[in-house]
Amino acid sequence: MYEGFANVYDHMMNHIPYEEWFEHLKKYLEDHGITGGTICELGCGTGTMTELFAGAGYRMIGIDNSADMLSLAQQKKEETGSDILYLQQTMEEMALAEPVDAFISVCDSVNYLLQEESMIEAFSKVREYLKPGGYFVFDLKTAYCYRNIIGNQTWVEQDEDISYIWENYFYEDQDINEYMLTIFKRQPDSDLYERIEEAHYQKSYSIEKLEELLEGSGMEIADCFDENMKSEPTQTSERIYVVARIKED
């Protein structure tokens, strides 16, 4: 995944309100006593959110399994002069040098864990490297979003440099959404376009299932919010935020 998509990812995701999400996340962490220290972002992608937290004074670690995405994140790091440590790892096999004050994960990175066993392994790794009193804040697309908003829909976007066809199929019996991407990227100083095709898969999890999986890894849900991180989720929430912590005895 993301081998060809990485080079057009930021272009295609320019509608994502990263700065708004950043403000919500930072406020939650500050309100709960995490005003500095080290934060690890899981599924950091091209480093957009990682850079925002680094700019706010946090020491940042960015983890992603895509070398291409991390290459672009590294370019941003060189441009901004930030001191971010990027590691190519999966969430399930994460290894850090020392515990961190908080974990974050945005833009439905956790939805890419398609097996419950993988979720437990990832949550267990977070528990292993999370300092006592720390938090893991992550978002997920919901089954409602896949079923009613995204699933079985096709979007087509184009401009002078990039065009793409984004086809979606939601397999309700598996709670899995399949993204079929066909991207046409204009080559530099040319009228020729490179064709890129990729398939991506994401799985929806209910709050009850997340609670069960977190408990199986020694963690528990501390809070759960709608996308605005202010109100509780509803049956029509398209994205939710879950805040997890180490389970109290």
Side-chain angles (χ1 to χ4, degrees):
M1 292 190 302
Y2 290 111
E3 291 181 1
F5 189 31
N7 290 322
V8 298
Y9 182 84
D10 284 343
H11 184 96
M12 292 179 62
M13 296 294 113
N14 60 12
H15 63 286
I16 297 295
Y18 283 109
E19 293 194 4
E20 180 181 337
W21 289 358
F22 162 69
E23 292 296 341
H24 293 329
L25 289 165
K26 184 166 76 75
K27 184 178 187 308
Y28 185 91
L29 294 175
E30 289 176 344
D31 288 348
H32 289 77
I34 302 176
T35 57
T38 303
I39 295 176
C40 180
E41 182 181 5
L42 302 180
C44 65
T46 63
T48 300
M49 184 66 73
T50 332
E51 286 283 353
L52 288 170
F53 270 96
Y58 290 89
R59 294 187 297 275
M60 294 301 298
I61 301 171
I63 288 180
D64 203 282
N65 194 36
S66 168
D68 294 288
M69 298 288 266
L70 290 175
S71 176
L72 295 172
Q74 195 70 26
Q75 290 178 27
K76 292 180 183 178
K77 172 184 171 179
E78 293 171 1
E79 291 170 2
T80 63
S82 59
D83 187 22
I84 299 170
L85 172 63
Y86 285 113
L87 301 172
Q88 185 181 0
Q89 299 178 347
T90 66
M91 299 184 196
E92 308 97 295
E93 298 177 345
M94 172 176 56
L96 302 180
E98 58 186 13
V100 299
D101 298 276
F103 283 89
I104 61 171
S105 184
V106 301
C107 219
D108 39 90
S109 294
V110 174
N111 288 111
Y112 277 101
L113 298 174
L114 304 182
Q115 304 295 328
E116 293 182 8
E117 294 80 3
S118 298
M119 290 284 274
I120 291 176
E121 290 172 2
F123 291 156
S124 296
K125 284 294 184 180
V126 168
R127 187 194 185 287
E128 180 180 350
Y129 291 108
L130 183 63
K131 289 182 181 179
Y135 292 92
F136 175 29
V137 188
F138 59 98
D139 74 1
L140 305 99
K141 281 195 176 79
T142 64
Y144 174 84
C145 179
Y146 292 127
R147 183 187 305 112
N148 300 91
I149 307 299
I150 295 177
N152 305 315
Q153 299 290 326
T154 299
W155 285 279
V156 178
E157 296 284 346
Q158 66 179 44
D159 60 29
E160 292 183 359
D161 297 315
I162 296 174
S163 300
Y164 67 85
I165 303 168
W166 191 319
E167 301 173 271
N168 296 271
Y169 307 91
F170 183 54
Y171 303 103
E172 184 127 16
D173 59 331
Q174 303 174 63
D175 293 320
I176 287 179
N177 193 79
E178 178 184 47
Y179 300 84
M180 298 297 296
L181 293 167
T182 304
I183 303 163
F184 299 90
K185 182 183 178 185
R186 186 174 184 176
Q187 299 302 289
D189 303 318
S190 172
D191 290 330
L192 298 177
Y193 287 76
E194 176 188 7
R195 177 172 175 153
I196 303 165
E197 292 184 326
E198 289 191 9
H200 295 250
Y201 299 89
Q202 292 186 338
K203 182 178 177 67
S204 67
Y205 292 89
S206 67
I207 295 173
E208 292 75 19
K209 177 57 69 173
L210 290 168
E211 189 172 28
E212 175 189 326
L213 297 175
L214 283 163
E215 185 174 349
S217 63
M219 300 191 72
E220 63 182 1
I221 293 179
D223 278 312
C224 194
F225 301 102
D226 204 316
E227 187 169 348
N228 59 17
M229 285 200 74
K230 296 177 182 177
S231 56
E232 294 182 359
T234 69
Q235 292 184 345
T236 58
S237 294
E238 297 177 29
R239 182 185 301 275
I240 62 171
Y241 277 91
V242 175
V243 182
R245 63 188 174 193
I246 296 174
K247 189 174 181 181
E248 298 178 353
D249 296 328

